Amino acid sequence: GFLVGHEMGLGKSAVSIISADIMNLPRLLILPASLKKQWEGEIKKWSINKDVNVVEKGNDRLVEGWNLVSYDYFVRHYEKFDLSNFLIIIDEASYIKNYKAKRTKIVQEKCKEAKFRIALTGTPVSNHLYNYYNILSYIKPNFMSIKYFNRNFIVFDEIVARGGKLIKVPAGMKNLDKFIEIIKPYYDRKRKEDVAKFLPEKIVQWRFINNTSEKLSIKSELIRQATSFFEVFALLRVLDCDDIINQSSG
C-alpha cells in the first residue's frame, strides 16, 4: 500500500486515478459522501475507464471498474463486499485516524483483503503521531505492532487517576528520524513550496450570478425571521448573496 500526503491542490486524486489505471484492478474508492460528485468529475477527467458505479443502495453491487462508496455506507454494509481482487483507495484518510473508532477498525480489517491499498490525505498528522500510525496500519497491515510503536516512538507521562492509580498518557514523540526512515517506502508528501517552480501561474476567475426575484424574496424573508445580525450574515453567506448583505448594512 501507499500513502499520498500531498498538500491540497497538488494532484492527490490525479495520482491515485492514474495509478489505478496502471494497476488495472477493479477499484473501490471510499470517501466522504459530500465528495462523490467531485470524484466522478476527476475520474472522467483523468481515467481511461470513465464509467463510475456509485454504491449507495442496499442491493447495489461492485463492478469491475470504478466503484464509489461513502464511509458510512461501507461501515454499514462491508460484510457483503468481496475485496480480494480490488484496489482500495480511501480519500480524506484522516477519517480513520482514531484507532478506537468503529469506522477505523472496520476499514482497517476489511481492507486487508484487497490486493493493494492507497490512502489520500493532505493532513496525515493533524494532532499526533498516532494519526500516522492508524493510516499506515490501513495501507500496510501489521507493519508495526502498537507495543513496538509506543515503546520506540511515543513519550509517556504518568498521571494520577481516580483512586490514586498511576496511568501513562502520551505526552510527545521521539526517534522521529527512525520513524520517517521506516515509513519512507510507503509515503510521499509534497508541499506547494516544493513544486512551485513546476506549477503554472494561478488563474482567478470572477463569475457573477444574477439573483431572480424569487431568490431575493426568499433571502429577504430569512433576514426578517433571523434573531441576530450574525444569524443573518451566516444565512446569507451560505446562500452567497452579498447584494443583500450590502443592503442590510447600508
Side-chain angles (χ1 to χ4, degrees):
F2 200 76
L3 168 59
V4 182
H6 303 344
E7 285 186 347
M8 185 175 66
L10 296 187
K12 292 186 294 295
S13 55
V15 167
S16 62
I17 290 167
I18 294 168
S19 298
D21 281 348
I22 292 171
M23 284 186 250
N24 197 28
L25 293 169
R27 55 214 72 167
L28 176 64
L29 173 57
I30 306 173
L31 72 171
S34 60
L35 298 181
K36 286 180 184 177
K37 287 294 182 184
Q38 179 180 327
W39 266 98
E40 285 187 64
E42 291 293 308
I43 290 166
K44 286 177 169 57
K45 179 179 180 181
W46 295 105
S47 182
I48 296 170
N49 185 344
K50 311 292 185 185
D51 295 328
V52 180
N53 177 41
V54 179
V55 182
E56 54 191 359
K57 297 178 182 177
N59 59 350
D60 287 350
R61 294 292 180 264
L62 302 182
V63 299
E64 287 294 309
W66 283 99
N67 300 273
L68 272 57
V69 61
S70 71
Y71 280 100
D72 289 343
Y73 184 96
F74 186 80
V75 169
R76 292 197 308 270
H77 300 283
Y78 70 94
E79 292 178 331
K80 76 175 185 178
F81 297 134
D82 178 6
L83 305 179
S84 56
N85 195 41
F86 271 74
L87 160 66
I88 308 295
I89 302 171
I90 61 170
D91 190 23
E92 300 295 343
S94 57
Y95 270 57
I96 63 165
K97 67 182 181 182
N98 182 356
Y99 73 95
K100 294 181 180 180
K102 177 182 178 182
R103 175 170 56 205
T104 301
K105 293 175 181 178
I106 288 175
V107 170
Q108 287 181 345
E109 189 61 32
K110 181 62 178 178
C111 292
K112 286 180 181 178
E113 300 176 8
K115 275 201 169 182
F116 201 85
R117 292 160 295 277
I118 296 175
L120 309 177
T121 176
T123 54
V125 181
S126 54
N127 293 308
H128 201 279
L129 205 59
Y130 279 114
N131 302 153
Y132 253 130
Y133 178 81
N134 294 321
I135 296 172
L136 288 165
S137 294
Y138 151 78
I139 64 170
K140 189 170 175 60
N142 305 318
F143 90 108
M144 183 187 299
S145 72
I146 189 66
K147 288 184 177 179
Y148 181 90
F149 176 77
N150 284 335
R151 183 172 65 249
N152 288 277
F153 305 110
I154 302 299
V155 177
F156 289 90
D157 280 346
E158 287 189 338
I159 64 171
V160 179
R162 288 182 180 179
K165 183 180 179 181
L166 283 176
I167 61 171
K168 291 184 176 181
V169 295
M173 299 165 277
K174 61 183 180 181
N175 302 325
L176 286 181
D177 290 345
K178 180 180 178 182
F179 184 77
I180 291 170
E181 193 63 31
I182 290 172
I183 70 171
K184 191 181 292 184
Y186 319 110
Y187 173 61
D188 185 39
R189 178 165 175 79
K190 288 183 173 60
R191 297 170 299 174
K192 289 180 180 177
E193 54 263 37
D194 298 330
V195 298
K197 64 181 180 181
F198 303 110
L199 298 176
E201 289 294 320
K202 184 184 292 187
I203 299 174
V204 178
Q205 292 184 340
W206 293 90
R207 297 186 180 183
F208 298 93
I209 301 173
N210 294 323
N211 284 303
T212 64
S213 58
E214 183 181 7
K215 287 181 179 178
L216 287 171
S217 176
I218 292 171
K219 295 167 187 176
S220 298
E221 182 63 17
L222 285 173
I223 293 176
R224 191 183 66 79
Q225 294 181 9
T227 58
S228 69
F229 170 78
F230 296 105
E231 187 175 335
V232 171
F233 190 81
L235 286 168
L236 294 178
R237 276 302 185 197
V238 169
L239 292 168
D240 191 28
C241 37
D242 291 329
D243 53 339
I244 292 198
I245 290 176
N246 294 332
Q247 291 175 26
S248 302
S249 58

